[in-house]
Amino acid sequence: MKEAEKLKYSEQIEGFLDFLREAKTDYNIAVSSEKEADDATQDLLHSLELYENTYHEYARAAKTLAKVRQERRGYSLEVQEMREDNKEVYLKRGGTLAEGAGFEDGKI
């Protein structure tokens, strides 16, 4: 095999591994964002439950809660799509591709 062919293959492998790292990073960001939205939801609900609020404070909290839930839904759908899109690849490869990329237990 010529040196140029070896370099070509290694560049393709490097590009693929970069893609896997980027996919893992995107997945981790989406999961983290989903958790942050969950935490914000809980903070708002605790505020409504534990404190005396004025009518306007309740209204403001309700608007904020709706916004946070919509954001969370977007992150949740993104995570779900990533898991579903990669589930087939994971299963076809017997788990080795996903495990090699550092993804946990077939979730991506």
Side-chain angles (χ1 to χ4, degrees), residues 6 14 18 26 39 47 52 58-59 64 71 73 76 95 97 100:
K6 287 181 184 178
E14 181 181 2
D18 287 343
D26 291 347
D39 292 344
S47 172
E52 290 294 324
Y58 279 122
T64 303
E71 289 174 1
R73 188 170 295 111
S76 180
L97 179 63

Side-chain angles (χ1 to χ4, degrees), residues 4 8 10 23 25 33 46 59 71 78 81 85-86 88 97 100:
K8 181 180 174 184
S10 66
T25 299
S33 297
H46 286 140
E71 289 174 1
E78 186 177 346
E81 287 173 2
D85 289 348
N86 292 291
E88 189 174 318
L97 179 63

Side-chain angles (χ1 to χ4, degrees), residues 1-11:
M1 186 179 299
K2 296 180 184 176
E3 188 65 32
E5 288 179 11
K6 287 181 184 178
L7 184 60
K8 181 180 174 184
Y9 290 131
S10 66
E11 288 173 353

Side-chain angles (χ1 to χ4, degrees), residues 8-22:
K8 181 180 174 184
Y9 290 131
S10 66
E11 288 173 353
Q12 290 176 349
I13 292 169
E14 181 181 2
F16 178 70
L17 293 174
D18 287 343
F19 166 76
L20 289 177
R21 282 186 211 99
E22 186 176 318

